[in-house]
Amino acid sequence: MEKHENVTSFSSKDISEFCRQAKQPSPSNISLCFTSNVKKGLLMGVSDKKDGMLAYEITRSGNAFIESYKGAEKNAPSRKAASKKIKESPELEVLKISVDDLNLSKYIDIHSLDRTEDQALLILKIYSTEGGSSSLSPEEIVAILKNKFNIPANEVKFRTALSRSKPKVDTEKVGGKLKYKLMKPGEKYLTELADKIAP
């Protein structure tokens, strides 16, 4: 938008409109994306609102990130190959739940967590309370992080972290797959973690 449309600041409405013009799906929770990228230093708020909405602009760090992303994209597999791969994998049921239905304001901002175990426990808590999923597999947790929160995740790392998380979690077999569910020690740990993070 900044380079092609000469737009220096933008709001949620601008992003939705630009996605529509580009014939691309709009993010499910644009406000959450803004908040996350402000915390990462990639965006910053501007004093003037646009159409009564909060507006943002890209920081120097944000521009540097975009340029590095472009470089990585050149070395990535072709879109056609990636599209084919996606079509071959059926969508997981947990991905059908909208981020807007998860009441994320009640929980720690997952983008503020660096530890694999902490991210996994928080996803288990959110999806057991808000998403109706009493247990999740490492594959499902990784898919949620990637598709719903735009967080890079490695299934092997999450599988290892969860296997070492007892008694915070317990396991059960569902449809032949090993899944993890959050237990009382895990609930207590997340409450203490939230207290530490809270300003």
Side-chain angles (χ1 to χ4, degrees), residues 5 13 17 34 40 43 46-47 64 84 103 106 109 116 121 123 128 130 137 143 160 169 197:
E5 303 287 334
K13 183 179 178 182
E17 177 59 21
F34 279 150
K40 293 176 184 176
L43 294 177
V46 297
S47 55
K84 187 177 179 183
N103 298 311
K106 291 166 49 179
D109 178 5
T116 299
L121 293 176
I123 290 297
S128 62
E130 313 293 344
S137 68
T160 302
V169 299
I197 293 174

Side-chain angles (χ1 to χ4, degrees), residues 6-53:
N6 199 27
V7 176
T8 56
S9 64
F10 40 85
S11 66
S12 299
K13 183 179 178 182
D14 293 325
I15 297 296
S16 295
E17 177 59 21
F18 191 75
C19 288
R20 187 189 67 77
Q21 291 177 11
K23 296 184 178 179
Q24 293 291 330
S26 178
S28 58
N29 192 329
I30 297 173
S31 296
L32 180 65
C33 294
F34 279 150
T35 302
S36 170
N37 283 297
V38 167
K39 288 182 179 181
K40 293 176 184 176
L42 304 178
L43 294 177
M44 62 184 288
V46 297
S47 55
D48 296 329
K49 289 187 175 183
K50 296 189 72 177
D51 299 321
M53 304 174 74

Side-chain angles (χ1 to χ4, degrees), residues 9-167:
S9 64
F10 40 85
S11 66
S12 299
K13 183 179 178 182
D14 293 325
I15 297 296
S16 295
E17 177 59 21
F18 191 75
C19 288
R20 187 189 67 77
Q21 291 177 11
K23 296 184 178 179
Q24 293 291 330
S26 178
S28 58
N29 192 329
I30 297 173
S31 296
L32 180 65
C33 294
F34 279 150
T35 302
S36 170
N37 283 297
V38 167
K39 288 182 179 181
K40 293 176 184 176
L42 304 178
L43 294 177
M44 62 184 288
V46 297
S47 55
D48 296 329
K49 289 187 175 183
K50 296 189 72 177
D51 299 321
M53 304 174 74
L54 292 174
Y56 302 83
E57 63 183 11
I58 302 172
T59 62
R60 286 185 181 179
S61 299
N63 278 315
F65 175 81
I66 292 167
E67 292 305 317
S68 66
Y69 183 82
K70 284 180 182 176
E73 196 176 50
K74 287 179 182 177
N75 299 320
S78 69
R79 289 191 177 186
K80 189 178 281 186
S83 174
K84 187 177 179 183
K85 205 168 187 179
I86 291 170
K87 285 179 183 176
E88 288 172 354
S89 302
E91 185 181 15
L92 297 169
E93 283 297 316
V94 290
L95 296 183
K96 295 178 181 178
I97 302 170
S98 169
V99 172
D100 294 328
D101 295 330
L102 296 177
N103 298 311
L104 295 177
S105 60
K106 291 166 49 179
Y107 304 95
I108 304 167
D109 178 5
I110 197 162
H111 296 90
S112 68
L113 302 179
D114 295 320
R115 295 182 67 243
T116 299
E117 182 191 43
D118 292 348
Q119 291 177 342
L121 293 176
L122 183 57
I123 290 297
L124 287 173
K125 171 64 176 175
I126 293 171
Y127 274 74
S128 62
T129 305
E130 313 293 344
S133 301
S134 60
S135 61
L136 295 170
S137 68
E139 177 193 8
E140 289 172 321
I141 292 171
V142 167
I144 289 166
L145 288 168
K146 287 181 176 179
N147 290 279
K148 298 297 183 180
F149 296 95
N150 297 317
I151 295 176
N154 180 286
E155 188 176 333
V156 174
K157 285 185 179 180
F158 277 84
R159 196 176 295 279
T160 302
L162 285 165
S163 69
R164 296 172 178 171
S165 290
K166 290 185 177 182

